[in-house]
Amino acid sequence: MDHDHGSHGGGGTGNTTYPVTNEELAQRFWYIVAGFVGAFLVCRVINWYKLERRLRRHTSSSVQSPTKPDTAFLELWATFTAVVREVSYPQLYVPVRGFSWLTPPPGGRVIVLLVYWIIVIYMATDGAIFPDVFHWERIGYRNAWVTITQLPLLYLLSSKCNVVGFITGISHERLNWLHRWVARTMLATGAVHGFYFYADWARSELVDYQIKMMPMIKYGFGAWGLLLWACVSGLAPLRRLSYEFFVLQHIVTAVLLLWLIYVHIPVDARYNLWFAIAALCFDRFCRTVMLVWQNVKALPDKKRCTGGQRIGHQAQVRAVGDSITVVTIKDVHFKWRAGQHLYLWMPRVGIAEAHPYTIACAHQLPETCICTSIQLVVRKHGGFSKRLHELATKAQLAGKKERLTAFVSGPYGAPPRWDIYETIVLISASTGASFTLPILESVLQHKGTNCVKRIDFLLTTKQGEEIDFYVTRLHELIEHAKGTGIELHVHIAVTQGPTSFPVSQDGVTADSSSGSSTGTNFGRGKKVADEKITSQRPLSSPGDIEQTARAIPVERKRSSHASTDSHVFYSSVRPDIEAYIRGPVEATGGETSVVVCGGPSLVARTRNCVASLSDERAVHKGTGAQGIQLFAEEYSF
């Protein structure tokens, strides 16, 4: 940004040549951002009112489906919500091996991005494009302002603790995608800024003179080069080569970028820089306070908790199979909600590495001391997770429990309330169950008003040993579900490798566990009691599951008006996601929540199924069909 040419680009406050100055455009940009944040806040308030009304209506025994809208305003809001969902959920998936990272964002994010680009293009062109002697210089200077104006937003969206997230109720990991696209947009507008100035100087053969006269130009080239590096190194294929290195260099790049911009831009534009620095410092301050509060205890009560210690937490690690490590962290003194995650730092495993992991439990763990403990399920990839698994494996081979000191930061994430839907469909692949299983657990153990009547849980994996930990927990929850009045169906699909349960020629078996605790333990060679092959085709939907369950000649018991029979069904074929979702959606009388956690393919497929089913049923458009909410969590590096 060249301050000496500001008068030609509408940069000065006294300039009356053009209807809008650059400073006024910058102000308009932030008014628009504030307007969008305010709109999300209004939506958040309306949704809060809706859920509170649901819970109050549920206390009335005369209301059979409290999740149905009961006022004209809520019916109108439900219709608006359904339309937005049908537009925002679909996603095009690129199935080509090695190029799936090119999968575009879902429809809703694409719309947000297009709106953002329209705003940026308007700012870059309004009153700036007309032929005169200052044409090249004016456009270059205008795009300098457009670029620097976006800088605070870039750092706000990258922060785990930021004002935008606090107001809108959207967690940082769900804002990070926009952070990346703002950076790419800044890269484009910064390129236009530099190109137009350079082209103008080249026409007059003044490039060397300008660079020699104004040293800040070379710092501008450096800033743009750093931004280019940040965008390129953030692409998935490069990021996955060494995630630890990516995080370290990304932090260094972010700090150096601020310094280069500081020495490049004029004084009257530096308020954008200070805004970005404030966002960065606020984030680091909040995270530091949280880290100290959660990991430092002045007077730990070791008599009360066997894992209590003054600095950090005692963590036990246990290897499960060849790829899974279960980490149990003791004596945590903070609360969390199902679906949240935290950052784990183990100096012995990685001296400068903190990695995010979903909290795999929703309550105090059994067979631990009376203090609160949490569990994390870590899948072995490379680097930190590989070293952790090797450490746990060596300890088990030596016949001892490995105890480490762990530091945690969090919890992060803003998952919705799960007790406000009539039906919940939980879909996960492999360790994605770390996200869905605590949701199931929290709903079944919820003490207050609960609108949930039915839960369908689908867990799919390639290797049975990857889900041994989850299967054990599932059978504990199945027993607990019998006295809750919630109908629970569990479907486990192991699509590759050996299985420990009998299958038919089509790879299907069913386990009914209504009379006693029965189940399976993958990888341990134990068979299920009272198992019977009841179908000669794959179970693809809960409707199929219910039909098969009726064919099993096992005595059933009921303890409430809702079915309390809990079923576990195993298969060795891939389930039909669309049919699996359709069954409970068509059976329910209220709103359904579909939760999915897995890779890009599973998430995209679920998104498209939910959007298609909502459109097919004409949800909240006079047919009586109720809403289908989707919450997607995609694991990736």
Side-chain angles (χ1 to χ4, degrees):
M1 179 182 293
D2 181 3
H3 182 57
D4 293 339
H5 299 275
S7 59
H8 303 309
T13 56
N15 179 18
T16 59
T17 304
Y18 310 112
V20 181
T21 65
N22 294 324
E23 290 89 340
E24 290 172 339
L25 281 173
Q27 292 175 359
R28 290 183 183 181
F29 174 82
W30 284 103
Y31 289 149
I32 294 172
V33 171
F36 276 101
V37 172
F40 275 96
L41 177 60
V42 171
C43 293
R44 185 182 182 186
V45 171
I46 294 175
N47 287 328
W48 175 84
Y49 165 75
K50 178 182 70 174
L51 70 89
E52 288 296 325
R53 187 172 181 86
R54 283 183 183 181
L55 296 176
R56 287 198 301 268
R57 294 180 68 222
H58 184 267
T59 58
S60 174
S61 59
S62 60
V63 180
Q64 187 173 1
S65 296
T67 62
K68 286 185 177 181
D70 62 324
T71 66
F73 171 74
L74 289 180
E75 288 179 357
L76 182 64
W77 181 253
T79 301
F80 170 76
T81 302
V83 172
V84 171
R85 287 172 176 173
E86 291 169 10
V87 173
S88 61
Y89 286 166
Q91 183 178 24
L92 174 66
Y93 176 68
V94 178
V96 182
R97 181 181 294 273
F99 293 93
S100 61
W101 61 275
L102 292 175
T103 296
R109 293 184 177 182
V110 171
I111 294 174
V112 171
L113 190 56
L114 290 176
V115 171
Y116 184 77
W117 282 344
I118 290 173
I119 296 170
V120 170
I121 292 172
Y122 154 74
M123 291 178 57
T125 58
D126 183 47
I129 301 179
F130 56 88
D132 65 357
V133 68
F134 299 117
H135 172 77
W136 293 81
E137 188 176 290
R138 181 173 55 253
I139 294 178
Y141 195 73
R142 170 63 65 81
N143 279 272
W145 269 98
V146 172
T147 304
I148 194 63
T149 299
Q150 298 174 80
L151 183 69
L153 184 62
L154 178 72
Y155 280 80
L156 272 175
L157 295 175
S158 70
S159 303
K160 293 179 176 59
C161 303
N162 67 79
V163 176
V164 176
F166 291 154
I167 296 175
T168 62
I170 302 175
S171 56
H172 76 92
E173 75 278 4
R174 294 180 180 272
L175 293 172
N176 193 259
W177 74 271
L178 187 56
H179 158 74
R180 294 192 296 269
W181 281 104
V182 169
R184 294 161 187 166
T185 305
M186 289 179 61
L187 185 68
T189 57
V192 173
H193 157 60
F195 170 77
Y196 270 82
F197 267 119
Y198 191 91
D200 187 39
W201 299 334
R203 290 190 309 154
S204 306
E205 299 181 351
L206 294 174
V207 175
D208 293 338
Y209 172 76
Q210 291 283 4
I211 293 177
K212 192 175 298 182
M213 183 183 70
M214 293 181 291
M216 80 277 292
I217 294 174
K218 58 185 178 183
Y219 295 108
F221 282 122
W224 190 85
L226 274 182
L227 189 57
L228 175 63
W229 165 250
C231 292
V232 172
S233 63
L235 296 176
L238 296 178
R239 189 172 66 239
R240 291 169 183 167
L241 291 177
S242 177
Y243 185 76
E244 292 84 357
F245 174 74
F246 163 75
V247 173
L248 180 61
Q249 64 84 26
H250 202 67
I251 295 173
V252 174
T253 299
V255 175
L256 287 178
L257 179 63
L258 290 174
W259 177 76
L260 288 173
I261 291 176
Y262 173 81
V263 295
H264 175 66
I265 63 176
V267 175
D268 61 346
R270 283 182 181 167
Y271 68 89
N272 292 287
L273 180 73
W274 298 123
F275 189 178
I277 293 175
L280 179 63
C281 293
F282 177 76
D283 174 53
R284 291 295 165 177
F285 172 78
C286 291
R287 291 165 64 181
T288 301
V289 171
M290 188 180 299
L291 182 68
V292 173
W293 176 74
Q294 291 171 341
N295 296 280
V296 177
K297 308 175 190 66
L299 298 172
D301 188 354
K302 295 186 178 182
K303 294 181 179 180
R304 178 179 179 272
C305 180
T306 57
Q309 55 189 57
R310 189 181 301 275
I311 305 296
H313 304 271
Q314 183 188 105
Q316 294 182 353
V317 295
R318 174 170 58 92
V320 179
D322 296 330
S323 60
I324 301 297
T325 309
V326 178
V327 181
T328 303
I329 303 174
K330 294 189 174 183
D331 194 24
V332 296
H333 54 281
F334 57 85
K335 295 181 180 180
W336 66 91
R337 289 185 291 161
Q340 288 188 304
H341 65 278
L342 54 75
Y343 280 77
L344 174 66
W345 174 36
M346 289 182 166
R348 183 177 166 186
V349 183
I351 188 63
E353 300 177 30
H355 295 264
Y357 294 106
T358 301
I359 301 174
C361 58
H363 70 299
Q364 179 179 321
L365 294 171
E367 300 180 0
T368 61
C369 52
I370 61 174
C371 63
T372 304
S373 299
I374 61 176
Q375 280 187 331
L376 311 175
V377 180
V378 181
R379 185 171 185 174
K380 183 179 72 175
H381 292 283
F384 176 86
S385 60
K386 183 178 180 180
R387 295 192 298 269
L388 182 64
H389 188 270
E390 290 174 349
L391 189 67
T393 302
K394 290 179 181 178
Q396 287 181 208
L397 292 175
K400 63 178 182 179
K401 292 184 178 180
E402 189 64 48
R403 291 180 172 85
L404 306 171
T405 295
F407 298 85
V408 296
S409 176
Y412 295 107
R417 290 189 61 166
W418 308 110
D419 58 347
I420 60 172
Y421 301 99
E422 185 166 309
T423 299
I424 299 179
V425 180
L426 302 172
I427 303 172
S428 56
S430 187
T431 53
S434 293
F435 184 81
T436 57
L437 192 61
I439 296 173
L440 172 63
E441 184 180 9
S442 67
V443 173
L444 293 179
Q445 297 183 350
H446 187 69
K447 301 297 183 182
T449 305
N450 194 342
C451 298
V452 180
K453 296 180 180 180
R454 170 175 174 167
I455 303 176
D456 291 87
F457 189 96
L458 171 62
L459 174 56
T460 178
T461 183
K462 292 182 178 180
Q463 304 293 333
E465 68 173 14
E466 295 180 351
I467 60 170
D468 181 66
F469 168 79
Y470 304 113
V471 171
T472 301
R473 291 266 302 279
L474 272 172
H475 283 285
E476 295 173 359
L477 294 176
I478 287 170
E479 288 300 305
H480 182 79
K482 295 176 182 177
T484 63
I486 297 177
E487 184 179 358
L488 173 62
H489 298 277
V490 178
H491 183 190
I492 299 174
V494 182
T495 59
Q496 295 179 15
T499 60
S500 60
F501 50 88
V503 295
S504 68
Q505 293 179 353
D506 287 330
V508 183
T509 182
D511 162 30
S512 173
S513 53
S514 58
S516 61
S517 178
T518 62
T520 185
N521 288 302
F522 287 103
R524 296 185 182 180
K526 295 182 180 179
K527 293 188 177 181
V528 182
D530 298 328
E531 284 183 336
K532 294 189 178 182
I533 298 173
T534 61
S535 174
Q536 295 300 317
R537 63 185 179 87
L539 297 179
S540 60
S541 72
D544 295 331
I545 291 174
E546 291 172 353
Q547 184 177 0
T548 303
R550 288 194 291 270
I552 301 176
V554 179
E555 180 183 359
R556 305 208 180 276
K557 299 179 181 180
R558 293 177 180 268
S559 59
S560 69
H561 64 282
S563 172
T564 56
D565 295 339
S566 299
H567 316 294
V568 182
F569 295 86
Y570 304 98
S571 69
S572 58
V573 294
R574 287 188 177 183
D576 184 343
I577 298 298
E578 192 275 338
Y580 191 82
I581 297 174
R582 179 183 293 274
V585 167
E586 292 181 345
T588 189
E591 186 170 17
T592 301
S593 176
V594 178
V595 184
V596 59
C597 182
S601 175
L602 177 63
V603 171
R605 187 179 179 188
T606 305
R607 283 182 172 278
N608 294 332
C609 290
V610 170
S612 176
L613 187 58
S614 178
D615 179 63
E616 174 190 329
R617 291 171 54 79
V619 166
H620 290 302
K621 301 180 184 69
T623 63
Q626 298 302 301
I628 312 173
Q629 184 260 4
L630 173 69
F631 192 85
E633 187 80 3
E634 181 179 323
Y635 53 72
S636 59
F637 293 96

